[in-house]
Amino acid sequence: MTVIERRKYTATGGNSASLPTLLPGLGVAGVAHRWSSSMLGTIGQPVSSWPAYTGGVALAQSTVAAQPIAGTGPNGTKVLRTDGVDDVITAGSQLTNAKTVTFLLRVLDPAGTTEGAVAWDGGYLMRGSQGGSSSTRIGATALSQPESLDQPKFHVVTVINDFAGGVGATVVDGNYGAQATDRENTNVSIGRASTNYGRVEVLEVAVWKRALSQTECQTVRTALQSAYPGLVA
């Protein structure tokens, strides 16, 4: 694990107990928003607000029953975990021109049921009942990809919605699937796709205000594989 928390360093005096988390870079400049599971609260407790590492916008859920929890993942890594029943956490449409969003996530339930994973303005991503991934968007043909989102590994999912630039895509573990988009994105939500909820664990989410190229998407995936050795597909 290469995520470093400065507060774990030996230090005395001043505000040494409140020094911020320091994350490794993602290899592509211009990250506008970023959320890391290392910044979640107490293990086992509900998450009403997931504070931002970059960008100042928290992912939030005010309804107690629908709040995900901070859980423990592989190697003791902290994760955001939804229950597959009603949990969802969202940016509340506070993101401006979120043209590329990368999620590092995995679905916990085995194949046999359709599992909602994440959503954005005008679209969502699901794990199919027999595996694989399905991305549905308004104004575009649904895209099916063979890469599934199942555990044990976490999967790098990148969603591109650059309507002005005419670029749309869903990228799952490096498989770049072009897909039309009819809008710019202002929101992300985790734990539900349309009416389908899912048992999902998330390590990170990152947003750029431009469309990443196919090469840049792979650069981000490589950076995440380095940041979480052995955990990322």
Side-chain angles (χ1 to χ4, degrees), residues 23 77 80 147 149 170 175 189 198:
L23 298 179
T77 306
L80 179 88
E147 292 76 19
L149 306 176
T170 302
N175 183 4
S189 62

Side-chain angles (χ1 to χ4, degrees), residues 13-40:
N15 297 315
S16 59
S18 60
L19 291 172
T21 300
L22 179 63
L23 298 179
L26 294 175
V28 174
V31 177
H33 303 274
R34 187 177 179 185
W35 299 268
S36 166
S37 60
S38 66
M39 298 184 68
L40 293 170

Side-chain angles (χ1 to χ4, degrees), residues 55-69:
V57 175
L59 300 181
Q61 175 56 265
S62 60
T63 302
V64 174
Q67 290 170 354
I69 66 166

Side-chain angles (χ1 to χ4, degrees), residues 68-156:
I69 66 166
T72 302
N75 301 339
T77 306
K78 193 178 286 187
V79 296
L80 179 88
R81 182 181 299 141
T82 62
D83 65 1
V85 178
D86 56 7
D87 288 357
V88 63
I89 195 166
T90 174
S93 298
Q94 296 186 69
L95 310 178
T96 303
N97 293 330
K99 296 186 179 184
T100 300
V101 184
T102 292
F103 304 89
L104 183 57
L105 58 82
R106 66 179 186 174
V107 170
L108 299 179
D109 284 336
T113 58
T114 299
E115 296 282 316
V118 295
W120 56 92
D121 287 341
Y124 53 85
L125 181 77
M126 296 190 296
R127 193 281 311 275
S129 61
Q130 300 304 314
S133 305
S134 176
S135 178
T136 301
R137 303 187 189 203
I138 294 173
T141 302
L143 174 69
S144 295
Q145 292 168 285
E147 292 76 19
S148 197
L149 306 176
D150 300 324
Q151 61 175 326
K153 298 231 173 156
F154 288 81
H155 304 271
V156 183

Side-chain angles (χ1 to χ4, degrees), residues 114-207:
T114 299
E115 296 282 316
V118 295
W120 56 92
D121 287 341
Y124 53 85
L125 181 77
M126 296 190 296
R127 193 281 311 275
S129 61
Q130 300 304 314
S133 305
S134 176
S135 178
T136 301
R137 303 187 189 203
I138 294 173
T141 302
L143 174 69
S144 295
Q145 292 168 285
E147 292 76 19
S148 197
L149 306 176
D150 300 324
Q151 61 175 326
K153 298 231 173 156
F154 288 81
H155 304 271
V156 183
V157 176
T158 297
V159 175
I160 300 172
N161 287 293
D162 184 1
F163 180 65
V167 180
T170 302
V171 190
V172 182
D173 294 340
N175 183 4
Y176 187 100
Q179 192 177 25
T181 182
D182 73 345
R183 65 193 64 199
E184 302 289 344
N185 190 33
T186 65
N187 196 19
V188 296
S189 62
I190 296 167
R192 184 178 70 183
S194 186
T195 59
N196 294 96
Y197 290 86
R199 290 185 64 229
V200 178
E201 288 185 342
V202 183
L203 288 173
E204 291 212 25
V205 183
V207 171

